């Protein structure tokens, strides 16, 4: 019991009366009357003491003529010692007014009642007795009251000290009790405590001798029989049998987790009931046995792991106590009305025979929780000095229990365990700590699973074991003899203890990957907060803290795999759960899409990051095994792939997913726009059809893209698309010649989000058409609309678009400023990759005015992005080559070649542009032949790119300019004039045609063709 720092003096009465300063220095009270008044106030605190009572205590022989004045004089003296505000007066009398314990006696009494003192706290407090209390007070009632109260406190502290020390030094405690009993030979309570100390020390004969002597003394002196406490101690001595020792833990120390051991020690000091909680095989029993081995408390270890009925518990208690059976043992096969009496029998036996201050361990309580709770309550009602530790997969639910959850092994400790086992099984096999750590992680840090996996190392290498760990239930089954259970049996036991509703809830949680939010789980029909609580209380899920404050539930992979197998074994249940998952994912996609139009998009982004894997898994299932009752599910879920593309740059099956989404949308032979047939699609499928059309066009699957556009037109005719998607639907499904008209009309929308998106698209179209001024104007209007909408992501995208417009017109300073702001905006939203891409453009804008800063930005981008095969990384390498070409030719060539390795062949205008940069870099660094070969090859590719629709004229013009530079046809060649006319991009200084003839904008396409 730790005392807080004092801010006021404390009165000392455990010896000569004094006042301790806040620094602990004693100040004597010299006036005898003042001492008596002070002690009287201490003994009555916090109640006030009237004038008459104070006069009786301070003037026991002759009261003063003026009692009020005499008392006030002494109170004034005390206030000068204690402080002005420490003694308050009222009509009822005077009382002490202080925070915390008023005296050393009060502190001692509080400590004697505490259950949270350290093992040395009681002994230290006993040292605060500075002599016999009251010797400096006059004889009389006050002195007697002080002596009686301090004696009671001293005895209580001494007994508490004996109880604490009885666990580790029972023989010394018994010797001290013998000395104490010399002064109180007929004290029955002290004799009973002495007898239990002797029993703890293993000397029942000495305990019986003490009983015989005190019984004789009581009969001779008082003619009285011994009381119940002494009779109970006598019965314990008559039935004494040495308690069996708890089996020591195995010799290796892989589980000796110092932090968990410390937490257990603290819990045992702070509570008389501690529940060690965790799933099967996590090491609960091992933790307790290690604690007992280290701290060596007196203990009774009751193994309840095989108990399934009250009689089994009583048998386990009897075995732990070294008895053949407990009295009045019945034959009930399950907890019934007789369970309470059965718990009473077992509790009485434990309370009767356990040593003073012992630790009672109830190991494996999960099968009979209610019975074990009754047993614990019965023990506590009989003995207050016992500490009870229960290990269980299920919480006991006691009001004052202290719960300690056992943590899984860390990968480092799991690897250590694997190394120990592999040395025992195959000493010569090479060890791989990284593989062992990965095995530990995949096995959820479960010591049992690791032990079972290590046994497979007799016939498997660690790497092969890791490759097979996904089939954990089949793999981790012990072979041959032995008592060890399989991993499947351990998890199955926990499953069977769950109520049916909690089993259904666990199946829902297992069906979704990653951590599951509370509100997501509650969207499933069979999930309730109560059933979620049951799953957690059975140690099959844990609550995960998250910065957003929302509750999340996490399963181990072992539990997840087991629950999924249970679901798969019931086809009807699997089908129903699958339909619910599709409904949940569809609502999620719709809700997040709506949130993306609002201002709190950071929250929407976080939601997407958290749920994309789950929705993609449901989408894959809907495509791989279509539900005839819900053919439109792939289209409703397809928009989630956009986020995967944004975050990672792509998805491996976009084309197949897009075609599956189109195939499930509507009946192509139905011509009725008012058709109510659900097979003809609905408005929720429109976003998916938009995505499918865009993906198929980008992937070159033009025939499939045509079917997607037809499905989009058909669905949009029957079901009006949302307002913010209507312009996009018209642009995609209508004639390409009407695209400019559609975008112009959308840019005038009263919805600023729609207007901003339309202006960004118009800016892109204008740039591709080599109209940089128009592109910059549209980008500026996009910035205004996005800021008016208060949409941070659109604002960042519009600023980036405006920066490109400034760069196209040669305003590098303005472009750099806009790129810097856009990059900061993207970073604040969590789009680190988009921020890096924008930083590359910022570096390009700064390459002329601040080349050192540009190099630093590019190197930071490349360091952060690693070897990511993204177009902006290739652009960064090309920009670095442009900056290095004069001072580091070989470095410039390496950077240029790395850019080409990333983008591959020139399949679009931007790739062709980077190929042109490489050709010029080769020429500038002396590789003339290689440069000409690269230019000629690029010239052939440009003729094919010129025939593609929606060609990026400035990028294509820059590639043509590079060909003209390398082939020395800058001044008179038609290709150079056409590149100037197409407003070729001048991002990189190595591509500069200078002044010269200029053709019209589209002449480049004619020349290249």
């Amino acid at each position: 019991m730790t005392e807080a720092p004092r801010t006021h003096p404390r009165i000392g009465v455990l010896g000569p009366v004094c006042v301790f300063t806040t620094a602990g220095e004693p100040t004597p009270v010299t006036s005898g009357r003042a001492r008596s008044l002070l002690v009287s106030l201490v003994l009555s605190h916090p109640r006030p003491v009237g004038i008459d009572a104070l006069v009786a205590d301070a003037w026991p022989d002759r009261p003063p003529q003026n009692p009020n004045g005499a008392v006030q004089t002494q109170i004034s003296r005390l206030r000068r010692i204690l402080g002005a505000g420490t003694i308050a007066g009222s009509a009822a009398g005077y009382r002490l007014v202080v925070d915390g314990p008023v005296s050393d006696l009060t502190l001692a009494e509080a400590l004697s009642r505490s259950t949270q003192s350290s093992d040395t706290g009681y002994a230290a407090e006993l040292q605060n007795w500075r002599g016999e209390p009251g010797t400096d007070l006059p004889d009389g009632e006050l002195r007697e009251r002080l002596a009686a109260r301090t004696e009671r406190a001293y005895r209580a502290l001494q007994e508490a000290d004996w109880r604490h020390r009885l666990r580790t030094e029972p023989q010394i405690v018994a010797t001290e009790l013998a000395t104490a009993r010399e002064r109180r030979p007929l004290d029955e309570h002290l004799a009973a405590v002495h007898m239990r100390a002797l029993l703890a020390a293993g000397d029942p004969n000495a305990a019986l001798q003490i009983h015989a002597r005190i019984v004789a003394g009581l009969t001779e002196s008082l003619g009285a029989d011994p009381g119940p406490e002494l009779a109970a101690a006598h019965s314990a001595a008559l039935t004494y049998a040495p308690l069996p020792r708890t089996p020591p833990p195995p010799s290796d120390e892989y589980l000796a987790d110092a932090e968990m051991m410390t937490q257990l020690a603290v819990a045992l000091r702070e509570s008389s009931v501690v529940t060690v909680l965790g799933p099967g095989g996590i090491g609960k029993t091992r933790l307790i046995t290690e604690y007992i081995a280290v701290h060596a408390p007196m203990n009774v270890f009751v193994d309840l792991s095989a108990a399934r009925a009250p009689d089994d518990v009583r048998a386990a208690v009897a075995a732990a106590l070294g008895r053949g059976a407990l009295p009045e043992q019945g034959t009930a096969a399950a907890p019934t009305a007789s369970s309470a009496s059965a718990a009473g029998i077992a509790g009485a036996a434990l309370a009767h025979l356990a040593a003073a201050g012992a630790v009672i361990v109830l190991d494996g309580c999960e099968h009979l929780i209610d019975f074990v709770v009754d047993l614990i309550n019965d023990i506590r009602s009989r003995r207050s000095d016992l500490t009870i530790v229960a290990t269980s997969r299920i919480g006991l639910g006691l009001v004052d229990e202290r719960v300690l959850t056992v943590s899984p092994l860390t990968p480092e400790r799991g690897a250590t365990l694997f190394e120990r086992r592999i040395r025992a099984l195959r000493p010569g096999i090479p060890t791989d700590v990284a593989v062992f750590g990965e095995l530990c992680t995949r096995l959820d840090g479960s010591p049992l699973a690791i032990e079972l996996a290590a046994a497979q190392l007799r016939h498997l290498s660690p790497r092969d074991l890791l490759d097979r760990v996904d089939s954990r239930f089949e793999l981790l089954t012990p072979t041959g003899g032995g008592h060890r259970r399989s991993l499947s049996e351990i998890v199955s036991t926990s499953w069977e203890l769950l109520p049916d509703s909690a089993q259904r809830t666990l199946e829902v949680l297992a069906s979704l990957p990653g951590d599951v939010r509370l509100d997501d789980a509650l969207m499933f029909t069979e999930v309730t907060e109560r059933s979620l609580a049951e799953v957690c209380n059975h140690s099959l899920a844990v609550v995960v803290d998250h910065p957003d404050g929302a509750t999340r539930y996490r399963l181990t992979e072992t539990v997840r795999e087991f629950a999924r197998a249970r679901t798969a074994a019931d086809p009807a249940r699997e089908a129903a759960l699958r339909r619910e998952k599709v409904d949940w994912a569809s609502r999620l996609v719709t809700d997040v899409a709506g949130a993306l139009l609002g201002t709190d998009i950071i929250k929407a982004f976080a939601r997407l990051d958290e749920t994309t894997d789950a929705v993609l898994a449901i989408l894959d299932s809907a495509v791989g095994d279509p539900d005839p009752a819900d053919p439109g599910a792939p289209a409703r879920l397809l928009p989630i792939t956009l986020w995967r593309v944004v975050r990672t740059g792509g998805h491996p099956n976009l084309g197949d997913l897009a075609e599956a989404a189109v195939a499930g949308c509507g009946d192509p032979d139905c011509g009725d726009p008012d058709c109510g047939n659900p097979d003809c699609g609905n408005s929720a499928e429109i976003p998916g059809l938009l995505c499918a059309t865009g993906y198929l066009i980008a992937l070159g699957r033009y025939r499939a893209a045509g079917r997607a556009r037809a499905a989009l037109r058909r669905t949009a005719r029957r079901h009006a698309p949302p307002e913010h998607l209507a312009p996009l639907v018209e642009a995609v499904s209508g004639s390409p010649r009407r695209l400019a008209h559609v975008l112009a009309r959308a840019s005038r929308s009263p919805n600023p989000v729609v207007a901003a998106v339309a202006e960004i698209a118009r800016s892109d179209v204008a740039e591709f058409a080599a109209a940089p001024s128009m592109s910059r104007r549209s980008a500026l209007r996009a910035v205004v609309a996005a800021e008016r909408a208060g949409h941070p992501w659109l604002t960042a995208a519009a600023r980036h678009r405006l920066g490109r417009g400034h760069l196209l017109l040669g305003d590098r300073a303005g472009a750099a400023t806009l790129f810097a702001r856009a990059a900061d905006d993207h970073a604040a939203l969590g789009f680190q990759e988009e921020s890096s891409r924008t930083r590359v453009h910022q570096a390009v804008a700064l390459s002329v005015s601040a080349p050192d800063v540009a190099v630093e930005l590019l190197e930071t981008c490349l360091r952060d992005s690693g070897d990511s095969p993204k177009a902006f990384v290739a652009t960064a390498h090309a920009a670095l080559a442009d900056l290095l070409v004069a001072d580091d030719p070989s470095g410039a060539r390496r950077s240029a070649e790395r850019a080409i390795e990333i983008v591959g062949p020139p399949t679009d205008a931007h790739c062709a542009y980077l190929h042109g940069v490489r050709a010029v870099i080769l020429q500038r660094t002396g590789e003339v032949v290689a440069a000409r070969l690269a230019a000629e090859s690029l010239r052939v590719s440009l003729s094919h790119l010129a025939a593609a629709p929606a060609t990026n004229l400035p990028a294509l013009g820059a590639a043509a300019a590079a060909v003209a530079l390398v082939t020395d046809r800058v001044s008179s060649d038609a290709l150079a004039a056409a590149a100037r006319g197409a407003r070729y991009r001048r991002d990189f200084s190595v591509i500069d045609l200078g002044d010269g003839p200029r053709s019209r904008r589209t002449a480049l396409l004619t020349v290249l063709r």
Side-chain angles (χ1 to χ4, degrees):
M1 183 176 179
T2 303
E3 182 190 357
R6 285 190 288 125
T7 59
H8 59 83
R10 175 171 295 153
I11 302 164
V13 296
L14 301 179
V17 178
C18 67
V19 175
F20 292 100
T21 66
T22 54
E25 296 296 327
T27 301
V29 181
T30 56
S31 169
R33 307 291 186 193
R35 281 198 300 271
S36 297
L37 283 179
L38 190 57
V39 172
S40 181
L41 292 171
V42 166
L43 294 180
S44 296
H45 180 76
R47 297 183 304 277
V49 186
I51 296 295
D52 293 342
L54 289 173
V55 169
D57 286 337
W59 289 271
D61 298 329
R62 187 195 314 176
Q65 294 181 351
N66 181 6
N68 287 337
V71 169
Q72 287 178 1
T73 299
Q74 299 302 326
I75 291 294
S76 297
R77 290 180 178 177
L78 291 175
R79 283 172 173 163
R80 286 195 293 270
I81 299 174
L82 295 172
T86 54
I87 302 178
S90 65
Y94 293 93
R95 66 184 181 91
L96 292 167
V97 182
V98 294
D99 295 327
V102 70
S103 67
D104 50 5
L105 172 60
T106 311
L107 185 62
E109 289 172 332
L111 182 62
S112 68
R113 294 189 296 267
S114 173
T115 61
Q116 301 183 17
S117 175
S118 65
D119 292 346
T120 60
Y122 299 116
E125 185 61 32
L126 287 169
Q127 300 301 316
N128 288 336
W129 260 256
R130 295 169 286 107
E132 184 177 350
T135 55
D136 54 350
L137 297 177
D139 293 336
E141 188 202 0
L142 179 64
R143 181 170 179 174
E144 291 172 0
R145 293 203 322 264
L146 177 62
R149 187 162 161 184
T150 53
E151 177 67 16
R152 286 196 302 271
Y154 188 87
R155 289 184 184 183
L157 278 174
Q158 195 169 48
E159 287 194 23
D161 179 50
W162 286 331
R163 282 197 305 270
H164 269 68
R165 292 164 53 214
L166 198 58
R167 305 179 184 184
T168 55
E169 45 188 22
Q171 189 61 57
I172 297 175
V173 170
T175 302
E176 294 177 3
L177 279 162
T179 303
R181 287 194 60 246
E182 291 176 0
R183 299 190 299 273
R184 296 147 55 192
L186 297 182
D187 188 325
E188 289 188 59
H189 172 69
L190 197 60
V193 174
H194 190 190
M195 290 175 67
R196 291 197 179 275
L198 289 169
L199 292 178
D203 193 352
N205 291 330
L208 290 171
Q209 291 172 7
I210 288 174
H211 182 266
R213 286 197 295 270
I214 194 169
V215 168
L218 289 171
T219 302
E220 180 180 346
S221 302
L222 305 175
D225 294 328
E229 184 179 15
L230 194 59
H234 179 237
S235 178
L238 288 174
T239 58
Y240 172 80
L243 294 178
R245 294 182 61 82
T246 301
S251 58
D252 62 281
E253 300 176 353
Y254 76 92
L255 268 180
D257 187 336
E259 182 178 353
M260 289 299 300
M261 293 280 278
T262 300
Q263 291 179 16
L264 179 57
V266 171
L268 289 171
R269 284 199 301 269
E270 295 181 349
S271 178
S272 59
V273 179
V274 176
T275 303
V276 179
L277 203 61
I282 200 64
K284 302 181 292 292
T285 303
R286 178 62 177 273
L287 176 65
I288 297 299
T289 55
E290 286 208 0
Y291 176 85
I292 291 173
V294 171
H295 295 275
M298 299 298 297
N299 70 90
V300 180
F301 193 94
V302 184
D303 184 1
L304 301 178
S305 58
R308 299 296 184 272
D311 281 353
D312 298 335
V313 177
R314 291 193 303 218
V317 171
L321 294 172
R323 303 294 190 271
L326 300 183
E328 303 178 22
Q329 189 161 327
T331 58
T336 64
S338 64
S339 294
S341 59
I345 293 170
L350 285 167
H352 183 64
L353 297 175
V359 175
I360 297 178
V361 179
L362 304 175
D363 185 46
C365 303
E366 55 269 4
H367 297 282
L368 291 167
I369 290 294
D370 293 338
F371 183 85
V372 169
V373 169
D374 290 340
L375 173 61
I376 291 174
N377 287 332
D378 188 85
I379 295 171
R380 298 172 74 190
S381 70
R382 299 172 188 272
R383 294 276 296 277
S384 62
D385 62 313
L386 301 177
T387 300
I388 301 171
V389 181
T391 70
S392 178
R393 305 180 194 186
I394 307 172
L396 302 182
L398 291 168
V399 174
D400 57 344
E401 72 174 315
R402 174 72 180 268
V403 176
L404 178 66
T405 303
V406 179
S407 304
L409 295 181
T410 62
E412 294 76 18
R413 293 178 61 225
T416 301
L417 173 57
F418 267 114
E419 284 189 279
R420 288 177 182 272
R421 294 297 176 261
I422 203 169
R423 284 200 297 269
L425 294 170
R426 297 171 62 188
I429 191 172
T431 60
D432 188 333
V433 175
V435 171
F436 291 156
E438 177 66 17
L439 275 167
C440 177
T441 300
R442 298 278 296 280
L443 294 174
D444 308 308
S446 167
L448 172 66
I450 291 173
E451 291 274 9
L452 292 171
Q456 307 303 315
L457 294 174
R458 293 188 181 94
H459 61 277
L460 290 175
S461 70
R463 176 63 64 178
D464 285 338
L465 179 62
L466 178 61
D467 292 341
R468 288 164 172 77
V469 79
D470 283 338
S471 304
R472 67 189 69 207
F473 292 115
E474 179 182 351
L475 179 69
L476 305 183
T477 300
T479 56
H483 65 281
R484 180 166 290 165
R485 301 169 67 192
S486 70
L487 187 63
S488 179
E489 290 173 326
I490 293 292
V491 184
S492 179
T493 299
S494 296
W495 171 269
E496 291 164 0
L497 291 171
L498 279 175
D500 289 344
S501 61
Q503 289 180 354
R504 302 288 80 78
T505 295
L506 184 58
E507 288 181 315
V508 170
L509 296 179
S511 70
L512 300 173
D515 300 338
V516 182
R517 287 166 48 122
L518 171 62
D519 51 359
D520 287 337
L522 292 176
M523 292 177 71
F524 291 79
T525 55
E526 294 183 296
V527 179
T528 64
E529 291 188 16
R530 182 178 180 83
S531 63
L532 287 166
E534 287 281 2
V535 171
C536 293
N537 194 42
H538 283 65
S539 303
L540 292 171
V542 296
V543 175
V544 182
D545 294 326
H546 195 273
D548 66 6
T551 301
R552 287 167 173 77
Y553 301 95
R554 177 176 296 170
L555 306 184
T556 64
E557 287 306 309
T558 299
V559 171
R560 190 186 305 279
E561 184 178 331
F562 182 90
R564 286 178 175 176
R566 288 283 179 158
T567 304
D570 184 350
R573 167 64 183 161
E574 184 178 28
L577 181 57
R578 185 175 157 199
R579 284 192 291 272
E580 280 202 272
K581 285 165 47 179
V582 169
D583 291 342
W584 166 77
S586 299
R587 288 196 296 269
L588 175 72
V589 171
T590 301
D591 292 346
V592 174
L596 288 173
L597 299 176
T599 57
D600 191 9
I601 62 169
I602 294 181
K603 185 176 180 181
F605 290 165
R607 188 83 169 112
L608 281 167
D609 285 337
E610 185 176 25
T611 56
T612 295
D613 286 340
V615 179
L616 283 174
I618 296 170
L619 172 60
D620 289 339
S621 175
V623 170
D625 186 12
D627 183 358
D630 189 11
R636 296 199 305 275
L637 302 182
L638 187 65
I640 199 68
T641 56
L642 275 173
W643 190 251
R644 179 52 52 88
V645 171
V646 168
R647 281 303 200 197
T648 67
H651 185 283
N653 300 318
L654 278 182
D656 295 339
L657 294 176
E659 291 197 33
V662 173
C665 287
D667 180 5
D669 297 327
C670 177
D672 182 6
D674 300 319
C675 176
N677 184 354
D679 291 338
C680 288
N682 59 65
S683 59
E685 297 166 1
I686 290 177
L689 290 173
L690 278 170
C691 293
T693 305
Y695 291 155
L696 293 171
I697 291 173
L699 293 170
R701 300 187 185 186
Y702 299 118
R703 185 169 296 179
R707 290 194 295 271
R709 291 180 64 207
L712 179 60
R713 280 196 301 271
R714 187 169 59 247
T715 305
R717 281 199 305 269
R718 295 168 183 155
H719 308 281
E723 178 193 359
H724 64 281
L725 291 181
L728 190 57
V729 170
E730 185 179 358
V732 172
S733 61
S735 168
R737 291 189 295 272
R738 288 181 50 81
L739 177 61
H741 172 72
V742 170
L743 291 178
R745 190 174 62 202
S747 68
R748 296 190 294 273
S749 169
N751 186 331
V753 172
V754 174
V757 173
E759 290 291 6
I760 291 175
R762 294 182 78 195
S763 178
D764 278 334
V765 171
E767 177 185 332
F768 276 40
S773 296
M774 185 181 297
S775 174
R776 184 169 65 175
R777 282 196 300 273
S778 291
L780 182 58
R781 287 193 289 264
V783 171
V784 173
E787 290 179 344
R788 182 159 53 91
H791 199 288
W793 182 76
L794 270 180
T795 301
R799 283 177 181 153
H800 182 226
R801 179 66 258 179
L802 182 59
R804 288 174 58 85
H806 278 266
L807 190 59
L808 283 169
L809 291 170
D811 180 10
R812 289 179 175 266
T817 300
L818 287 164
F819 286 141
R821 289 192 65 184
D824 290 341
D825 292 343
H826 284 305
L829 294 172
F831 282 87
Q832 297 303 327
E833 185 173 292
E834 192 67 19
S835 178
S836 295
R837 184 169 77 91
T838 309
R839 293 290 183 203
V840 172
H841 294 155
Q842 181 187 357
V844 170
L846 292 171
S847 59
V848 175
S849 61
D852 293 339
V853 176
V855 169
E856 183 178 350
L857 285 172
L858 292 170
E859 289 178 344
T860 300
C861 167
L862 294 174
R863 184 170 57 250
D864 293 343
S865 303
D867 291 329
S868 175
K870 302 290 179 64
F872 78 90
V873 178
T875 303
H877 281 290
L880 194 59
D882 181 49
L883 289 164
L884 295 177
V885 67
D887 300 325
D888 184 6
S890 59
R893 282 196 301 272
R894 285 194 302 271
S895 293
E897 295 293 349
R898 180 60 186 137
I900 300 309
E901 289 174 10
I902 293 173
V903 298
T907 54
D908 58 43
H910 181 73
C911 291
Y913 182 18
L914 298 184
H915 275 267
V917 173
R918 169 180 173 258
V920 176
I921 292 290
L922 289 173
Q923 184 193 50
R924 293 277 298 272
T925 57
E927 300 289 336
V928 178
V929 175
R932 284 185 172 274
L933 290 174
E936 292 298 332
S937 175
L938 178 60
R939 179 67 178 80
V940 175
S941 298
L942 290 178
S943 63
H944 295 290
L945 293 175
T951 300
N952 185 338
L953 284 177
L956 207 63
V963 172
L965 285 168
V966 173
T967 56
D968 294 329
R969 291 181 292 185
V970 174
S971 58
S972 59
D973 188 57
L975 187 61
R980 293 189 188 96
R983 303 293 183 90
Y984 72 92
R985 285 171 56 179
R986 304 187 184 189
D987 301 349
F988 305 120
S989 60
V990 292
I991 300 181
D992 186 359
L993 293 175
D995 296 330
R998 179 190 301 269
S999 304
R1000 56 190 177 85
R1001 284 188 304 172
T1002 57
L1004 177 64
L1005 300 180
T1006 304
V1007 171
L1008 291 177
R1009 288 169 184 163

